[in-house]
Amino acid sequence: DGGITQSPKYLFRKEGQNVTLSCEQNLNHDAMYWYRQDPGQGLRLIYYSQIVNDFQKGDIAEGYSVSREKKESFPLTVTSAQKNPTAFYLCASSIDGTHNQPQHFGDGTRLSIL
Amino acid sequence: GENVEQHPSTLSVQEGDSAVIKCTYSDSASNYFPWYKQELGKGPQLIIDIRSNVGEKKDQRIAVTLNKTAKHFSLHITETQPEDSAVYFCAARDDKIIFGKGTRLHILP
């Protein structure tokens, strides 16, 4: 059963701590994306990757980092430099990064500050 | 860059009636327009999409219309059911995808 798996579902961060959110897909998709969702807001792009070992900043990359060492994995690290990290984080993938391919989403990770 | 406006932000309709959600976009180069449904605590799920070479697409109770001249597109849900209650997002894509801010749809019994 193909899909996108995000873990954990809930995550708590202490002040000054880095945390890493996991995203794995078995859809054999080349492109992967990370979005942040705040209440009443649309999805804002943090980072995206169109191919292994390559990624680009999105609209709100400050305070975040990513890696793409494997096609199926695209972990997101929320660093201590991100001053307002409380949000719902969504990972997505698409067949490739071309303009008219749909993105498929995981069920998200909710990050909160302790 | 692209900007997507979505209206209304909240919509309540009686079960069995139709619901319409409208979006406008700014970049005439956008050529792909997906719609997503998001239930509480879940990720968005693609429900229908339309490409710029067609004006309308239908899938059972859901239809999307696109007016490229006016740069707006709409989602139509007919014969609404309780399970249609969710947040719906439109999006427009040229070199990257831009989402609207969402519409919370309530289906009233």
Side-chain angles (χ1 to χ4, degrees):
Chain A
D1 203 11
I4 300 174
T5 302
Q6 290 188 242
S7 61
K9 193 168 180 64
Y10 300 96
L11 187 58
F12 299 91
R13 193 190 91 169
K14 294 181 180 178
E15 294 286 346
Q17 190 180 53
N18 293 353
V19 291
T20 297
L21 285 60
S22 171
C23 178
E24 303 278 331
Q25 54 98 359
N26 60 3
L27 299 167
N28 199 33
H29 285 176
D30 283 325
M32 297 186 74
Y33 310 81
W34 273 105
Y35 292 91
R36 172 179 170 138
Q37 186 176 32
D38 294 284
Q41 298 294 315
L43 280 65
R44 292 184 291 168
L45 183 64
I46 304 172
Y47 268 98
Y48 65 102
S49 167
Q50 294 185 305
I51 199 166
V52 175
N53 292 322
D54 187 47
F55 49 83
Q56 286 79 41
K57 292 182 179 180
D59 299 318
I60 55 165
E62 186 175 347
Y64 300 97
S65 66
V66 293
S67 63
R68 187 85 187 276
E69 297 176 0
K70 298 187 295 183
K71 185 176 185 178
E72 57 270 23
S73 179
F74 191 40
L76 173 74
T77 296
V78 183
T79 74
S80 57
Q82 173 49 246
K83 297 306 178 189
N84 184 24
T86 297
F88 191 49
Y89 290 87
L90 288 160
C91 178
S93 70
S94 61
I95 292 174
D96 55 36
T98 58
H99 300 177
N100 61 359
Q101 293 298 327
Q103 294 184 4
H104 302 270
F105 286 84
D107 278 339
T109 292
R110 188 166 298 281
L111 176 62
S112 302
I113 298 301
L114 288 177
Chain B
E2 177 64 279
N3 182 49
V4 177
E5 299 282 341
Q6 182 172 347
H7 300 281
S9 57
T10 305
L11 177 62
S12 296
V13 300
Q14 211 67 41
E15 183 179 347
D17 288 350
S18 295
V20 181
I21 302 170
K22 299 181 179 181
C23 289
T24 60
Y25 62 99
S26 59
D27 187 349
S28 57
S30 289
N31 57 14
Y32 176 64
F33 307 91
W35 284 89
Y36 289 87
K37 174 183 181 182
Q38 186 177 26
E39 296 176 338
L40 193 63
K42 300 272 191 178
Q45 181 183 11
L46 180 72
I47 54 172
I48 195 167
D49 57 9
I50 191 167
R51 291 171 173 80
S52 59
N53 56 344
V54 298
E56 184 174 359
K57 183 177 178 180
K58 191 173 182 180
D59 182 3
Q60 299 183 340
R61 296 186 297 109
I62 294 173
V64 58
T65 58
L66 171 65
N67 183 327
K68 285 216 72 179
T69 303
K71 290 189 279 190
H72 64 71
F73 56 112
S74 301
L75 178 71
H76 304 253
I77 306 174
T78 59
E79 301 172 19
T80 53
Q81 300 170 3
E83 54 265 36
D84 295 330
S85 293
V87 178
Y88 292 81
F89 291 95
C90 64
R93 182 165 190 177
D94 176 25
D95 61 335
K96 64 178 181 179
I97 191 167
I98 303 296
F99 290 85
K101 291 189 176 180
T103 295
R104 186 172 297 277
L105 176 63
H106 299 276
I107 306 301
L108 305 173

